[in-house]
Amino acid sequence: MHDGRGHRTLPTVEDTEALGRELAAQLHAGDLVVLDGPLGAGKTALTRGIAAGLGVQGRVSSPTFIIARQHRAGAEPGAVGLVHVDAYRLGGDLDELDALDLDTELDDAVVVVEWGLGVVEHLADRHLRVLLRREPESDTRTAEWEWVG
């Protein structure tokens, strides 16, 4: 994982959250994380792990009904906040995306965007793209990630 890319099988939700904590160790204020994958693939579970790894405040749940949820940084020195966005509801509406002012949020937080592939990459020079998949016949999920840009 040191080169910023990898692949992992995630048999349980706990495994997905553990991967999120590991990825969080690579993240800094200004980083954009774009999550892609079908419903039930583990996007929110991965974000919970990232939030735990960053030590942010507040319970992480899907931001589906409010589009974007902000989590303040923890008390540790150098801690960063997290902005958790659900781009599915935006439906590619760039005006609504601009209204969220995410490029400003990127100054002092990590921004994680579910369903963001093809929608938010322009907000940062580079981003961590995580593709999550779920095996149709089981609960086993897989993740592939890499820094792009």
Side-chain angles (χ1 to χ4, degrees), residues 49-147:
I50 291 172
L54 293 174
V56 301
Q57 301 176 25
R59 187 175 71 86
V60 171
S61 58
S62 176
T64 298
F65 298 108
I66 60 166
I67 300 180
R69 186 183 305 270
Q70 295 187 348
H71 298 273
R72 288 199 316 277
E76 312 81 45
V80 298
L82 172 73
V83 179
H84 184 197
V85 180
D86 184 337
Y88 186 79
R89 296 256 326 280
L90 297 177
D93 184 342
L94 294 181
D95 289 339
E96 196 166 348
L97 179 66
D98 287 344
L100 291 175
D101 215 12
L102 293 180
D103 46 353
T104 301
E105 301 292 351
L106 273 167
D107 291 341
D108 54 13
V110 170
V111 175
V112 176
V113 184
E114 296 188 22
W115 304 99
L117 198 62
V119 180
V120 298
E121 291 90 347
H122 69 281
L123 294 173
D125 292 337
R126 68 181 202 129
H127 63 279
L128 180 62
R129 179 170 57 205
V130 183
L131 303 176
L132 293 153
R133 299 286 175 255
R134 181 178 181 178
E135 299 300 319
E137 301 302 318
S138 73
D139 272 345
T140 299
R141 293 159 173 83
T142 58
E144 292 180 43
W145 63 93
E146 67 175 325
W147 283 97

Side-chain angles (χ1 to χ4, degrees), residues 1 6-11 15 18-20 22 141-145:
M1 194 148 97
H7 179 276
R8 185 169 307 166
T9 299
L10 305 166
D15 293 318
L19 174 60
E22 289 178 38
R141 293 159 173 83
T142 58
E144 292 180 43
W145 63 93

